[in-house]
Amino acid sequence: ARAGRVQAVTARDPAGTSHRIHARQFVIACNGVDSCLLLQRSPEVPHLPSLGRYFMDHPIIQVAIYDSGVDAKPGYGDTAQTGMFLPFFEQASRDLPVSMLGEIRCGSLSEREGALMRDILMRQIVAEAVNTRAAGDPLRTSLTRVWRSTLDVWFLVEPQPMADHTVAVGTIDANGQPVPRIQLRYPSYFSACTDHVLGYIRSRLPRATVEHVGSVPTSFHWMGATRMAADPREGCVDASLRHHECENLYILSSSVFPSASSANPTLTLAALALRLGDHLGGHN
């Protein structure tokens, strides 16, 4: 890169041969981590202050609901059934201004023995069936009732963009690929989110046993490390996804998200791709 323009890209093929590629426009379209790492490894592209900062991912609250009283048909699917289970926290609590997305994971009980959530759920289902069996009822009847009304629900919690949540090049592996070093922590309001969602479910399903069975800091929705902002001090790209310091360099990645709702980023990223295509078409 020279004088505010990218001149060429050097790429290496599987045989290890380097190739130099020239073009009028360049688009970095890696994932939400590697787009950032590629820029960090490009010394001639100006490294803006926000590069590698404001990294975001959705932390997950894992909730199991046993004997819910509804026919959940567990095991009837291999993908998450996604819906805005609790669209905005102000519906349950006005002091938590973040959203959550609930994924009802229908396929958990159809997984093989050894799968973490399947094993957690099955142990509890058996215990619940034994503890709630009516006098004289066969264990099979109680077990069937609890099993068919068990829900495995994951709640994705909206993260806030924090400058100290970072992505950087950690090491370089043998084939030349960077191994990232990521600094990410649970948001300060995460425990309050957990308490509120458990209370919300219990108030609506008083018959059920509702348990917080775990938390995960990442759902692999990588966002924010090359964020969009009008001011180059706060972001790497402008509203057209163009790099603030290189007029023919664009970044098409979830890493340009300036903030994140609780929703999966894929559809928004697809919309950005179509929008950038129109923009580049108008400039060529």
Side-chain angles (χ1 to χ4, degrees), residues 68-169:
S68 64
V70 300
D71 186 358
K73 293 183 170 60
Y76 278 73
D78 57 2
T79 57
Q81 304 252 333
T82 305
M84 290 304 288
F85 216 70
L86 182 58
F88 295 96
F89 248 129
E90 53 263 31
Q91 293 188 8
S93 173
R94 295 186 180 277
D95 61 346
L96 293 172
V98 293
S99 62
M100 291 200 306
L101 182 75
E103 293 187 354
I104 303 173
R105 302 178 64 83
C106 298
S108 298
L109 288 173
S110 64
E111 294 179 334
R112 294 181 180 274
E113 184 179 359
L116 178 61
M117 282 306 298
R118 181 265 184 199
D119 287 358
I120 291 174
L121 292 171
M122 285 305 302
R123 286 194 295 269
Q124 184 63 33
I125 286 170
V126 172
E128 191 77 12
V130 171
N131 293 336
T132 61
R133 183 175 54 159
D137 277 356
L139 178 59
R140 182 186 184 91
T141 301
S142 179
L143 185 62
T144 301
R145 186 197 75 246
V146 176
W147 182 86
R148 72 185 302 167
S149 60
T150 289
L151 290 166
D152 173 20
V153 188
W154 286 15
F155 288 91
L156 277 61
V157 178
E158 176 184 349
Q160 299 294 311
M162 304 291 291
D164 60 348
H165 290 186
T166 59
V167 175
V169 177

Side-chain angles (χ1 to χ4, degrees), residues 23-39:
R24 287 178 298 169
Q25 307 282 1
F26 294 85
V27 179
I28 295 175
C30 304
N31 61 48
V33 167
D34 285 310
S35 294
C36 173
L37 298 183
L38 184 61
L39 283 173

